[in-house]
Amino acid sequence: DDSFEVTLGDEDDGDPNDVELKDEERQADFDLATPEAMTMVRDLVNRKTTKDGLIDKHFNRRAFNETEGLPEWFVDDESLHSKTSLPVSKEAVRMMREKLKALDARPIKKVAEAMARKKMRAAKNIAKIHKKAESVIANDEMTEAEKARSINRMVNRATKAKPKEKVTLVVARNGNRGVQGRPKGVKGRYRMVDPRMKADLRAVKAREKRKKKGDHGKTTLSDALLATNGIISSKLAGKIRYLDSREDEQQRGITMESSGISLYHKQTENDTEYLINLIDSPGHVDFSSEVASAARLSDGALVLVDVLEGVCTQTVSVLHQAWVENVRPVLFLNKLDRMIVEWRMTPSEAYTHMQQLIEQVNAVLAGFWEGDRLAEDSRMLDEAKERWRETHGDAPMSEWYLEEKDDSHIYFSPEQGNVLFG
C-alpha cells in the first residue's frame, strides 16, 4: 500500500522499554514546581507506578467533594486547608534544593539596579572629595595638621548618613480642630490625626510588644529546619512562617493550629538516613488542645524556652502534657543573642543565667516525679496493708519501707545530650 511508509529508527534511540528519567534534563524541560510533582513524574516515567495506580492511591474522602448546597465560606476554607499530604522522595527534595539555591544566587533586577545606583552615588561623592582635597593640599597658607583635619571633616560629612526626621502626630481636637496651616507650638514635620488613630497606633505598639514577649520562636525554628531540606529559601526562614498556613495565623503572627511536615536527615557519622515527621504546635494557652493532640502522635518533643522570658505558664503545661503522654522531651534554649544585645551580659553571667534556667525547668520535672511517686507509694502501701490483713488479721502492721528510685534520667543536662542552644 502506497499510503504507508516504513522508516528505520535511529541507532541512538536504544531500547524503548529502557526509559530512565534524568533529573536535570526534566527539570529544564518542564517546570516541576513542587517535590510532589517531581516524585509522581519520576514514578510514572521509571514505571514504578501506573496512571491507574496513582488514581487508586490518591482516592480518599477529598477526591470527590460535593460542594452543591454548601455555603461559600465553608467551601473556600475547605479548599485552602483540606488537602492530602503527597509522598516526597529524597531525589525530589534534592532537586528542589538545587533549584532554590540557583534562585538565591540570582540577584533580583531591582536589587541589582539599586546597588548600581548606590555605587554611582558613592563614586560621585568620592570624586567631589578628591577635587576638594586637591584644592586643600594646594593651599600654602594652611599647615599640614589643618589640611588633615579639613580633609577628615569632608570625608565624615560625605559618609555620614542623614538621620530620619521625626514626624510629630498632632491630635485634631479642641484648638487644633479645623486649623489651616501649622498648629501652634509644633516644630518640624507633623501630621494631623484624629484621636482614634493615635489610640490605634498605641494599641498596635502594645500588641506588638505582647506578641514579642509571648513568642519563643517555635515556628521560626521550623522554618530553619525546612530551609535545611531546601523546601524554603534560607533567606526566608523566620519570615515566611511556612507552617502557618491559615490567613488569620499570618495576620496575627501566632500559631493557632498544629501543622505537620516530613523532613529528611542523614547522620554524617554512619550515613544513617532518617525521615522525621515534624509537628509545629501552638504555644498560646488558648490552643492547648492542639498541643495535647500533637503529644499523642509524637515519639519525642522539642520544648523551646526563651532565655530571657524563662519558664512561663504554657511551658509548664507543655512539659506536663509530655510527661502524661510519656513523651521524651528535649530542652531548646532559644534567642541566646538577646542576652548579649539586650541585657549586655558577660560570658560568665550568661553561663550562670542559663544554668539557673535549666534548674528551673528541672524543678518543674521534679514536681511531676514527686507527684507520681507519692501516688504510687500510696497505692503500694494500701496493697501491703491488704495483704497484711489477709495473713495476720487485725494485728499491728510491721515496719514498711519505700523503695528508693533513681530520678536522674528525667532531668535536662547538656552532659546527657538533651539540651540544645539556638
Side-chain angles (χ1 to χ4, degrees):
D1 193 350
D2 296 337
S3 61
F4 295 95
E5 180 180 359
V6 179
T7 60
L8 297 177
D10 296 335
E11 295 181 358
D12 296 336
D13 289 347
D15 187 1
N17 295 324
D18 187 13
V19 180
E20 183 67 26
L21 177 66
K22 295 182 179 179
D23 297 341
E24 292 76 9
E25 294 180 1
R26 288 296 182 184
Q27 187 177 2
D29 295 340
F30 303 100
D31 185 17
L32 304 178
T34 62
E36 292 85 355
M38 294 181 185
T39 303
M40 286 193 292
V41 170
R42 287 178 58 85
D43 292 344
L44 283 173
V45 176
N46 293 331
R47 300 187 177 182
K48 293 181 180 179
T49 185
T50 61
K51 178 182 176 182
D52 295 335
L54 280 177
I55 295 175
D56 294 338
K57 186 176 180 181
H58 295 89
F59 182 80
N60 50 47
R61 68 183 181 85
R62 302 180 181 88
F64 302 99
N65 284 334
E66 297 293 338
T67 59
E68 184 177 356
L70 296 176
E72 292 185 1
W73 64 266
F74 182 82
V75 176
D76 295 340
D77 188 71
E78 283 290 301
S79 63
L80 289 175
H81 309 299
S82 183
K83 298 178 181 179
T84 56
S85 298
L86 300 178
V88 179
S89 64
K90 292 184 293 184
E91 291 81 2
V93 172
R94 180 184 60 80
M95 292 170 62
M96 286 299 298
R97 185 181 300 167
E98 296 297 331
K99 187 175 181 180
L100 289 175
K101 284 182 179 178
L103 290 175
D104 289 342
R106 184 180 59 189
I108 303 175
K109 183 179 178 182
K110 290 185 178 180
V111 175
E113 292 176 352
M115 292 175 64
R117 289 193 296 269
K118 188 175 181 180
K119 289 182 179 179
M120 188 180 299
R121 287 195 296 268
K124 289 182 179 179
N125 291 335
I126 292 173
K128 290 180 181 178
I129 293 173
H130 276 297
K131 193 172 182 180
K132 292 181 180 178
E134 289 175 357
S135 62
V136 171
I137 294 171
N139 190 353
D140 297 333
E141 298 178 356
M142 299 174 64
T143 63
E144 295 296 329
E146 291 175 345
K147 293 179 182 179
R149 284 196 296 269
S150 178
I151 293 175
N152 285 334
R153 282 197 299 269
M154 286 190 296
V155 173
N156 294 333
R157 200 180 303 118
T159 56
K160 185 178 180 181
K162 295 182 179 179
K164 292 184 178 180
E165 189 176 355
K166 184 179 179 181
V167 179
T168 305
L169 299 181
V170 181
V171 182
R173 62 160 61 130
N174 300 334
N176 293 330
R177 189 185 300 274
V179 173
Q180 298 293 331
R182 180 179 295 275
K184 294 181 179 179
V186 178
K187 297 180 180 180
R189 294 185 61 188
Y190 72 96
R191 187 171 54 167
M192 299 292 295
V193 297
D194 59 277
R196 183 61 196 166
M197 181 177 179
K198 193 166 185 178
D200 287 343
L201 292 175
R202 196 182 303 116
V204 168
K205 292 180 180 179
R207 188 161 56 247
E208 290 178 353
K209 187 177 180 180
R210 288 195 302 269
K211 185 194 305 181
K212 184 178 180 181
K213 183 177 180 181
D215 183 15
H216 285 208
K218 295 179 294 301
T219 305
T220 303
L221 176 62
S222 301
D223 281 357
L225 295 175
L226 293 176
T228 60
N229 272 235
I231 299 176
I232 63 174
S233 170
S234 59
K235 296 180 180 179
L236 298 177
K239 302 176 183 177
I240 192 173
R241 301 178 65 89
Y242 186 84
L243 294 181
D244 288 349
S245 56
R246 292 172 44 167
E247 184 178 357
D248 50 356
E249 289 179 327
Q250 293 288 343
Q251 290 176 352
R252 298 177 62 180
I254 61 173
T255 303
M256 304 166 61
E257 191 176 69
S258 295
S259 302
I261 196 168
S262 297
L263 301 176
Y264 168 73
H265 172 67
K266 185 176 182 180
Q267 197 167 355
T268 56
E269 289 80 4
N270 50 11
D271 292 339
T272 307
E273 298 177 344
Y274 297 96
L275 182 65
I276 301 172
N277 297 314
L278 176 68
I279 301 177
D280 179 25
S281 59
H284 199 277
V285 67
D286 292 343
F287 311 108
S288 56
S289 59
E290 294 285 338
V291 180
S293 302
R296 294 189 184 100
L297 297 173
S298 304
D299 300 320
L302 273 176
V303 181
L304 266 72
V305 177
D306 191 324
V307 290
L308 296 193
E309 301 296 336
V311 179
C312 302
T313 306
Q314 187 64 6
T315 308
V316 179
S317 176
V318 171
L319 288 171
H320 183 263
Q321 192 67 42
W323 182 273
V324 171
E325 300 297 338
N326 198 21
V327 175
R328 190 69 180 270
V330 174
L331 181 63
F332 192 100
L333 298 183
N334 201 19
K335 302 184 181 181
L336 301 184
D337 55 332
R338 294 185 64 190
M339 293 190 296
I340 303 172
V341 176
E342 298 182 19
W343 284 10
R344 307 292 182 182
M345 285 186 173
T346 62
S348 59
E349 292 173 344
Y351 174 79
T352 304
H353 178 74
M354 288 188 291
Q355 192 176 28
Q356 293 174 352
L357 183 57
I358 295 174
E359 291 176 357
Q360 293 175 10
V361 180
N362 287 336
V364 176
L365 296 178
F368 300 155
W369 170 268
E370 290 297 330
D372 289 358
R373 185 69 195 280
L374 289 175
E376 183 181 359
D377 292 343
S378 177
R379 179 183 57 81
M380 293 176 63
L381 180 58
D382 292 340
E383 292 177 355
K385 288 180 179 179
E386 187 67 26
R387 289 194 300 268
W388 180 266
R389 291 193 193 98
E390 293 176 356
T391 56
H392 298 82
D394 295 334
M397 185 177 176
S398 61
E399 294 183 356
W400 185 76
Y401 298 96
L402 296 176
E403 180 184 357
E404 292 291 337
K405 289 187 178 180
D406 182 24
D407 61 346
S408 60
H409 62 282
I410 69 170
Y411 298 120
F412 294 115
S413 175
E415 291 81 4
Q416 295 185 9
N418 56 4
V419 179
L420 302 176
F421 303 91

